Amino acid sequence: MTTPDNLPWPSDTGMLQVADLRLDLRYRQAITPEQTAELPQRVFDVLLILLARPHVLHARTALMEQVWTGVVVEDANLSQSIWMLRKALGPERKHWIRTVAKGGYVFDPPGPVQAIPIESVGTKTLPPPAEPETAPADAATHTQPIAPLTQPPPLMEPPPAEGAAVAGGRPTHAAGEPRAERPRRRIHRTWWVAASAGGLMLLAGLLGLARMSGQSMPLPPLQPVSVVLIEVGNSEDADARWPATVLHAWLEWKLNAIPEVVLMTEAHLAADATENPPQVVLLSAGKSADHPDERFIRARFDAPGGSRRLELRGDAAQMPQLIDALSRQVLDEVVPARRDDPWPKLEIDEPALRTYADAYRAYSERDMASAAAGLAAVLQQAPQFGLAHLQRAMAQYRLGQARFAMEHIGHAERLLTPVSEDVASVLAAAALSVDPQRAAETAAAYAELAARYPQRISFRLEQAWHEMRGGDAEAALLALEGTQWQRQPLGVQVQWRLTLAEIEGVRLDSDAVLEHATRAAQLARDAGKGWERELAAATMLQARVHAFQRGPEAGQEGFAEAARLFASVGAEIDAMHARVSGELMLPTAGRSKELDTLLAHARAGGYRNLEIQLLRRVAFQQRSAGNLSEYRRRLKDALAIAESVDDVSAQQELQVDLLNEDLLLGHFERATERIRQIRAGPVSGDTATWLDQFEGFLLGTRGDYPAASQALDQTVDRLAREGQPPLPADALARLACARAELLLSQGRLQDARLRHDQCGDTRQTYLANYAATVGAMIDLMAGDTGNAMPALQERVSDIQSMPPAPERWTAALWTAYLLARAEDVDTASTLLTDTLAAMQGTGYEWLIADAEIGLAEIAAARGRWTDASRLTDSARQRLPAESWQQFHRLDQVAILVAFARGENAQAQARMAAADARAHEVGDIKAQLELHSVMEAVAPYLRSVGGCDAPARNALLASTGMRGSNLDWMMRGLPLPDERVAATVPQPAH
């Protein structure tokens, strides 16, 4: 501790002055133009150390050793002291004490520290208080109980005499402060409660958004109250400390349920993270030094009349009653407007409470698997303990065990009563969150609470989080509008940025994810100790974006750092998850060594949500390696788990994965039914845009182009109609590419170019490749082969570096089709042959058929008619009946084969039928291709019906699609001689 002997100023110094701050060393007072604040001894000692060495970093450990020499105390004591110093300095000077993340504190005053001798001070400062100083709250020594300002609720019948306070379970007189026993109003409704661990939000995965019907309650005339609960004292003696832990939990539950209360954490104090000074309540418990069988439980906080300490004493068996009583006293002092509120009693015996203290520590540290197991043990001893039912429900829901969570919520609803009606509205909203089928009500409940209690910013964050987790990113963004988040406490800003990052992840806006995750990480670093989890979460989000944008290796350092941060706070499962996430980004050659261990931990620990996501990511890793049977098996395993725990969000995500698989397999009818099933639920966000794209693809493949265009536009139109934010740029770019393809089929070349400009507006690699291919197709349809070829050659190089997965095969099929049209049939043939060989045994019949069609077209171009006929026959057997576009390509090959064999009548009949179908569906590209065949063979036919040269030329002129022809495929066509062709009767066209 700093003493007069080691201070850097003269021994006769009576006061120090820094700018307009004066410090009276005699009476431990900080004097500013706004106030005079008296400081406790150890708080003043911290200030003296900072003053003695300004502009120097003081490590937290060094400060602890100097101020609490030889005393075992918690790190929270220093955070509390720093907060009290900032409060004493006032808003104009509190920034003089600067927090250095992971370092400590620096005192940066605007001027030098000046020493003023005692004789120059005078006698105008306030004298020390007449009453003796009470023992510090972190000392477990025996003191006489200080009478509380208010009475606790009665612990037994008959109640204590008027004016009595409970001490040691015995009625004692509260000298000079009697008050009549107040009536306890009961509300005949049953409600259940959610206690957020450590005062943090319950960020559980939910679905959907709807607005709750009914009239909103008027805004109550209550002032917002910020509270911090901190356990202090001997951290080594668990037997002595557990009552303080239980008091912490019991108070935390009540405070979280009061809508005007904002419950904060020690980390907020350490970071000076709030402009609204909170009421800091220090909680401690211990054994009396001179009464071995007596224990005390104590709460200390500032009050208008000075520092207040409430203390109750009794033996161990009386602790449940004393904790309950002291919690009421603290509530009455901290939230006086709630003195008449009813609360349930803490009805549980002392052995069960000891078990509960350990379970609650795991719950507060967000170790939900350990918490669920510990709370199960508590409920075996005390099955009527409502708070344990509630917290077990919340832990199980966080673990993805919704059914079990709902069972325990039912018990909590029955046991945690009575509470006041406005408190009940908060508790009901939290309780709704464990039922995945009531997600819309949950989001609406938080929306209503946020409107009624705007000072409780956590309601707005909860609303946004629930809506985002349901996939409705636009509604989540709307929920966050209208709040000046940059002016909120630092901790709220961290959570806001993390929530925004998650929302933008749903919207697939990776740049925005990176921006918000980077800001969240910086805020968490600035906040310092206590924010490691948030920093780890932000770092992991950054790593995912880097891996997505720049390749898997780019994110590995970030995943490793996130794992280190999680491990530093004991979150071993999270740390392992971060490491495995990085490894799963790599090819299977770098398969995660910890994957099986993590899966086993996830299953044993009840982390079903984690298990689902791991299985899904393993599935896609297997897919990238071409292990398709393993890919499908992992997806189905994940879906089975999601269904078993009623995880609707995960089910929807996996159903979309399986929908994509249906399309690749050519199971179009099953895909259509799956789309219908998915749309029957609450679909929003990027899931909706993927469904739009899949549905548009199906309709376009069938030749229903107007319906396909409408399907692609439905989400965009709905958002505009509802006045919601537009889709992110990447989603819009993806849809624009799909629209450009449809527009080409409809002969709208210029519109396709405009869509392509939007399609190329992206920095995502896969979208950029998609846009390049669409651009090459547009150039080819316009007849600009020279401009298309460089992009196609670059795509060939890209394809060769891709893993043997469906993405490579689909890219190769499309690129080969375009290369063949550009008359680079050798490269196209190589791509198709290699791809067809790679797809054997995969079950992707539709893709295999597409490869066979491409090879048949090339065989026709080379004059290999037998091969062309064999390949078309095989492809027809594989294709779904409704594949208009593929069957049209097959018909074109069949027409050329028939002409090559001299079967003019059959060829012309096929050509007439194909042309009629092309007109029926409005496929201009198909019409132009058939016209090119008609034009080539017209001299050998008596009549080609209405397809005369002027009509064909007019269509070319109106569309500009001069490259939409089959000239490249007719190079090897041995046209029949004029005599044979002329003698064949020609059907009307």
Side-chain angles (χ1 to χ4, degrees):
M1 181 183 298
T2 302
T3 66
D5 296 330
N6 59 20
L7 293 175
W9 39 81
S11 58
D12 64 344
T13 300
M15 183 173 288
L16 301 175
Q17 182 155 357
V18 184
D20 60 351
L21 168 69
R22 292 181 296 157
L23 301 170
D24 194 320
L25 302 184
R26 300 168 300 171
Y27 304 135
R28 302 194 310 275
Q29 292 175 333
I31 306 167
T32 67
E34 302 87 17
Q35 64 180 2
T36 297
E38 181 181 330
L39 300 175
Q41 181 62 59
R42 283 194 167 92
V43 176
F44 196 71
D45 289 340
V46 173
L47 180 57
L48 290 180
I49 293 172
L50 297 177
L51 284 165
R53 298 181 64 203
H55 312 296
V56 171
L57 176 63
H58 296 268
R60 292 179 66 89
T61 53
L63 286 171
M64 294 285 289
E65 290 173 359
Q66 292 177 77
V67 177
W68 286 272
T69 305
V71 180
V72 180
V73 295
E74 297 222 350
D75 196 54
N77 288 271
L78 180 57
S79 297
Q80 160 73 356
S81 297
I82 294 295
W83 178 82
M84 292 183 69
L85 286 179
R86 285 172 169 150
K87 183 178 178 182
L89 294 180
E92 300 300 322
R93 299 160 211 86
K94 66 178 184 178
H95 64 276
W96 292 1
I97 302 177
R98 177 166 54 88
T99 301
V100 178
K102 301 181 182 179
Y105 301 97
V106 176
F107 186 61
D108 282 331
V113 179
Q114 300 178 354
I116 302 174
I118 292 177
E119 60 269 17
S120 302
V121 173
T123 60
K124 293 184 180 181
T125 56
L126 295 175
E131 61 182 15
E133 181 186 356
T134 60
D138 50 37
T141 57
H142 176 72
T143 59
Q144 292 298 318
I146 296 178
L149 289 176
T150 60
Q151 283 293 335
L155 299 178
M156 60 193 75
E157 295 294 343
E162 181 176 292
V166 175
R170 305 177 295 272
T172 61
H173 205 62
E177 301 204 36
R179 73 178 179 87
E181 177 65 29
R182 63 179 180 273
R184 299 191 64 188
R185 176 167 52 93
R186 288 182 177 270
I187 299 175
H188 296 288
R189 293 181 70 180
T190 305
W191 298 92
W192 54 94
V193 188
S196 301
L200 297 176
M201 297 185 303
L202 286 170
L203 301 182
L206 299 174
L207 292 170
L209 170 68
R211 291 291 170 257
M212 185 177 293
S213 61
Q215 295 294 322
S216 298
M217 295 173 59
L219 185 67
L222 299 172
Q223 294 300 314
V225 178
S226 298
V227 182
V228 179
L229 301 177
I230 299 178
E231 291 180 56
V232 296
N234 189 344
S235 61
E236 302 298 325
D237 188 353
D239 182 59
R241 180 182 175 179
W242 70 263
T245 300
V246 176
L247 176 61
H248 189 163
W250 196 234
L251 272 172
E252 180 182 79
W253 159 58
K254 294 179 179 180
L255 290 167
N256 262 325
I258 299 174
E260 72 271 19
V261 171
V262 178
L263 192 57
M264 307 176 76
T265 68
E266 180 214 339
H268 293 86
L269 297 182
D272 188 30
T274 176
E275 295 182 1
N276 182 24
Q279 174 68 72
V280 179
V281 182
L282 302 179
L283 309 175
S284 60
K287 301 175 182 177
S288 299
D290 50 357
H291 292 76
D293 295 331
E294 186 177 62
R295 298 168 179 266
F296 68 85
I297 185 166
R298 171 189 298 153
R300 190 183 73 177
F301 48 87
D302 288 336
S307 180
R308 294 280 296 127
R309 190 178 72 179
L310 306 177
E311 181 182 280
L312 299 178
R313 293 175 178 270
D315 57 35
Q318 293 174 305
M319 271 298 146
Q321 295 171 312
L322 299 180
I323 290 169
D324 197 19
L326 190 57
S327 75
R328 287 304 302 256
Q329 293 182 38
V330 173
L331 280 177
D332 287 350
E333 293 283 353
V334 175
V335 196
R338 293 285 177 174
R339 288 185 177 180
D340 292 328
D341 277 11
W343 294 100
K345 293 182 179 180
L346 183 61
E347 296 179 324
I348 180 173
D349 61 22
E350 180 261 344
L353 272 189
R354 287 175 178 267
T355 306
Y356 173 73
D358 292 333
Y360 171 73
R361 290 190 190 101
Y363 187 79
S364 65
E365 292 168 0
R366 291 177 274 183
D367 182 354
M368 293 301 162
S370 298
L375 290 165
V378 172
L379 291 172
Q380 287 182 346
Q381 302 176 63
Q384 302 301 307
F385 185 26
L387 183 56
H389 279 291
L390 167 82
Q391 291 173 340
R392 190 177 181 193
M394 291 299 174
Q396 287 177 313
Y397 187 74
R398 293 281 297 277
L399 295 171
Q401 302 171 3
R403 290 180 181 174
F404 303 109
M406 291 166 62
E407 177 185 345
H408 285 284
I409 275 293
H411 293 306
E413 176 185 11
R414 175 174 56 85
L415 296 169
L416 287 172
T417 186
V419 291
S420 63
E421 191 167 356
D422 57 346
V423 168
S425 64
V426 178
L427 310 184
L432 283 171
S433 67
V434 304
D435 187 348
Q437 302 303 322
R438 304 180 71 181
E441 295 174 66
T442 305
Y446 277 116
E448 185 172 347
L449 286 169
R452 283 161 49 191
Y453 305 104
Q455 73 276 12
R456 183 83 168 257
I457 298 300
S458 63
F459 290 152
R460 190 66 66 190
L461 284 170
E462 290 276 12
Q463 178 195 352
W465 181 268
H466 293 317
E467 290 167 347
M468 178 273 299
R469 293 294 290 175
D472 197 342
E474 288 72 31
L477 288 175
L478 283 174
L480 295 177
E481 288 184 355
T483 299
Q484 294 179 313
W485 294 100
Q486 287 85 350
R487 299 180 61 181
Q488 297 301 317
L490 187 59
V492 174
Q493 290 189 52
V494 173
Q495 293 173 344
W496 167 59
R497 288 288 185 181
L498 285 174
T499 302
L500 277 176
E502 295 280 3
I503 291 171
E504 297 298 352
V506 173
R507 302 179 80 231
L508 287 188
D509 190 339
S510 58
D511 289 335
V513 174
L514 186 59
E515 175 191 350
H516 294 303
T518 301
R519 295 293 298 274
Q522 187 57 55
L523 288 168
R525 290 190 190 96
D526 292 343
K529 186 175 176 59
W531 297 92
E532 291 84 359
R533 275 183 177 272
E534 287 72 16
L535 177 57
T539 302
M540 196 163 172
L541 284 169
Q542 290 174 299
R544 286 177 178 168
V545 174
H546 290 151
F548 179 68
Q549 289 185 339
R550 306 201 300 264
E553 295 292 345
Q556 294 305 307
E557 184 177 344
F559 285 118
E561 175 63 10
R564 187 193 66 77
L565 288 166
F566 279 128
S568 71
V569 292
E572 291 300 332
I573 293 292
D574 291 325
M576 190 183 300
H577 184 205
R579 291 191 295 271
V580 169
S581 294
E583 292 167 352
L584 285 176
M585 290 286 181
L586 301 171
T588 51
R591 182 172 178 174
S592 169
K593 299 176 182 177
E594 293 185 288
L595 173 61
D596 291 336
T597 302
L598 182 56
L599 281 169
H601 274 290
R603 170 57 64 95
Y607 291 95
R608 307 312 295 273
N609 287 333
L610 176 58
E611 189 178 5
I612 292 167
Q613 292 305 317
L614 282 172
L615 287 171
R616 182 172 183 262
R617 294 183 65 190
V618 171
F620 276 94
Q621 187 187 47
Q622 295 298 318
R623 186 176 190 266
S624 296
N627 300 328
L628 299 172
S629 59
E630 184 69 5
Y631 162 68
R632 294 166 192 149
R633 184 178 73 83
R634 294 288 192 172
L635 279 186
K636 291 176 181 177
D637 288 347
L639 181 59
I641 296 171
E643 290 173 344
S644 71
V645 297
D646 287 337
D647 190 333
V648 180
S649 178
Q651 289 178 52
Q652 184 182 90
E653 187 175 51
L654 291 161
Q655 288 285 9
V656 172
D657 295 336
L658 292 170
L659 169 60
N660 184 62
E661 192 71 358
D662 289 341
L663 296 175
L664 294 176
L665 290 167
H667 298 162
F668 287 0
E669 291 185 4
R670 188 165 68 188
T672 301
E673 175 60 21
R674 202 184 295 272
I675 289 175
R676 187 193 65 77
Q677 292 175 355
I678 297 172
R679 288 202 186 278
V683 181
S684 55
D686 201 56
T687 298
T689 65
W690 276 112
L691 283 179
D692 295 347
Q693 191 164 348
F694 287 144
E695 189 172 1
F697 166 81
L698 272 175
L699 292 166
T701 299
R702 292 167 176 162
D704 192 348
Y705 298 128
S709 297
Q710 186 176 1
L712 291 175
D713 290 337
Q714 56 189 323
T715 296
V716 175
D717 291 345
R718 177 180 60 81
L719 295 178
R721 188 169 58 251
E722 296 174 357
Q724 296 189 33
L727 292 169
D730 289 343
L732 290 172
R734 198 177 68 240
L735 291 173
C737 285
R739 291 192 189 96
E741 292 182 69
L742 283 177
L743 290 167
L744 281 177
S745 295
Q746 295 171 294
R748 298 166 59 183
L749 181 66
Q750 189 57 36
D751 290 340
R753 286 192 185 280
L754 293 175
R755 289 295 187 181
H756 175 256
D757 291 341
Q758 185 180 9
C759 171
D761 184 18
T762 178
R763 288 191 287 176
Q764 304 305 327
T765 302
Y766 83 97
L767 276 177
N769 290 337
Y770 187 12
T773 307
V774 171
M777 187 175 182
I778 291 172
D779 288 336
L780 285 175
M781 293 303 101
D784 190 354
T785 303
N787 200 46
M789 282 304 295
L792 292 176
Q793 291 166 350
E794 186 175 350
R795 290 297 290 131
V796 172
S797 178
D798 293 336
I799 289 167
Q800 291 171 345
S801 64
M802 294 172 70
E807 286 74 21
R808 172 173 179 161
W809 302 334
T810 54
L813 291 174
W814 198 2
T815 303
Y817 170 70
L818 297 179
L819 283 168
R821 296 189 71 98
E823 302 196 42
D824 186 357
V825 293
D826 291 338
T827 305
S829 179
T830 300
L831 272 179
L832 289 170
T833 302
D834 292 345
T835 301
L836 183 60
M839 292 190 297
Q840 295 303 316
T842 63
Y844 289 149
E845 295 296 296
W846 187 77
L847 292 183
I848 291 173
D850 201 76
E852 289 177 333
I853 293 170
L855 288 171
E857 291 170 334
I858 290 174
R862 289 172 169 172
R864 298 175 181 173
W865 305 109
T866 300
D867 289 342
S869 181
R870 174 181 54 80
L871 287 164
T872 55
D873 289 344
S874 177
R876 285 184 189 277
Q877 297 300 314
R878 301 179 189 274
L879 283 175
E882 61 267 37
S883 299
W884 146 254
Q885 292 180 339
Q886 279 68 36
F887 277 114
H888 170 70
R889 290 173 64 190
L890 288 173
D891 286 342
Q892 291 178 147
V893 175
I895 290 167
L896 296 184
V897 170
F899 268 119
R901 292 175 175 174
E903 299 168 351
N904 289 12
Q906 181 181 350
Q908 191 157 359
R910 280 184 176 272
M911 188 160 54
D915 186 58
R917 178 61 176 154
H919 279 81
E920 180 184 344
V921 300
D923 194 326
I924 302 299
K925 173 177 170 290
Q927 294 174 39
L928 289 171
E929 289 172 342
L930 288 170
H931 290 176
S932 69
V933 177
M934 295 174 187
E935 186 174 10
V937 301
Y940 304 92
L941 302 177
R942 291 179 177 177
S943 172
V944 289
C947 299
D948 54 85
R952 291 195 296 273
N953 292 334
L955 190 59
L956 281 174
S958 65
T959 62
M961 294 177 61
R962 291 177 174 78
S964 185
N965 57 64
L966 297 182
D967 293 351
W968 67 277
M969 203 190 306
M970 293 189 291
R971 300 294 186 209
L973 183 65
L975 293 177
D977 58 57
E978 185 176 356
R979 180 184 58 80
V980 172
T983 61
V984 178
Q986 305 299 324
H989 179 61

